[in-house]
Amino acid sequence: MQLQARDNVPLLTVVLSALALGAVFAAVGGVIPTSLIPRIDGLIAVIPELNAIISLTAIGTIIAGWRAIRRKDVSSHRNYMLASTVLFAGFLVFYLYRITLAGTTDFGGPVAIEQFVYLPILAVHILLAIICVPLVIYTLLLAVTRPIEDIYTSRHRSVGQLAAVLWLISFSLGIVVYAMLYVVY
């Protein structure tokens, strides 16, 4: 199985990215039948705060993973980046659950702030999140389908650096969006 996955990383990236992004667009578009999902109102209420904590934690693990690989500590790098991926997946599951059952949250601040601050920040956050999905999946697939010595000759490093930077920006902007929706306004 590993040999087959190794030879098909781009195809697997496309398929897994399409599934992940398809789930997001289906949830946001209201396509997922809510009758199929158990509604836990207490959980729905805390998901914004939970996802802000997950985002902050992910920022920490991404930075720690980046620092580890700069020290050539491959084992720590792997652990931090896997933790980042698990956190991202958890964020996504919680986000999809809340969006499917509760919908989006309206901005409660002034219209001028919404138009010229909130919506541009939200748009960049969403765009970077969409771009990050295939980059993260590709980088992860390269890492798990190759022996360590082969990773250095793959595009893991170049794509991984781009993914990490965009991931950090997206998570940071997500925290700003959270603050604007639930703390400031």
Side-chain angles (χ1 to χ4, degrees):
M1 179 63 177
Q2 186 177 12
L3 201 57
Q4 292 173 345
R6 175 191 170 106
D7 297 336
N8 293 296
V9 167
L11 176 61
L12 286 171
T13 300
V14 168
V15 170
L16 294 173
S17 297
L19 290 172
L21 293 171
V24 171
F25 292 130
V28 172
V31 176
I32 299 173
T34 57
S35 61
L36 300 176
I37 302 169
R39 184 178 186 92
I40 305 168
D41 289 323
L43 176 61
I44 292 170
V46 299
I47 286 176
E49 289 78 15
L50 182 59
N51 274 349
I53 292 167
I54 289 172
S55 295
L56 280 170
T57 306
I59 289 169
T61 58
I62 293 166
I63 291 170
W66 202 337
R67 293 184 69 198
I69 202 61
R70 293 190 74 184
R71 292 189 317 269
K72 304 205 186 308
D73 184 352
V74 174
S75 178
S76 291
H77 170 74
R78 179 186 320 114
N79 291 337
Y80 282 122
M81 298 321 274
L82 285 174
S84 300
T85 304
V86 168
L87 288 165
F88 180 60
F91 175 97
L92 187 59
V93 167
F94 286 129
Y95 174 79
L96 292 175
Y97 180 77
R98 186 174 192 288
I99 284 294
T100 300
L101 295 177
T104 58
T105 301
D106 292 331
F107 182 75
V111 173
I113 298 293
E114 179 180 28
Q115 289 179 344
F116 298 109
V117 180
Y118 172 74
L119 289 176
I121 290 172
L122 179 63
V124 172
H125 164 66
I126 291 169
L127 179 64
L128 291 179
I130 290 168
I131 292 169
C132 281
V133 169
L135 294 175
V136 168
I137 290 171
Y138 181 77
T139 305
L140 184 62
L141 287 172
L142 285 176
V144 300
T145 60
R146 286 160 172 70
I148 290 173
E149 58 274 4
D150 288 356
I151 290 175
Y152 293 102
T153 60
S154 74
R155 299 196 61 202
H156 177 84
R157 180 179 180 180
S158 61
V159 175
Q161 286 177 339
L162 178 61
V165 169
L166 297 180
W167 218 3
L168 286 170
I169 296 168
S170 179
F171 272 126
S172 298
L173 291 177
I175 292 169
V176 172
V177 167
Y178 162 79
M180 291 183 81
L181 284 176
Y182 299 100
V183 178
V184 177
Y185 299 106

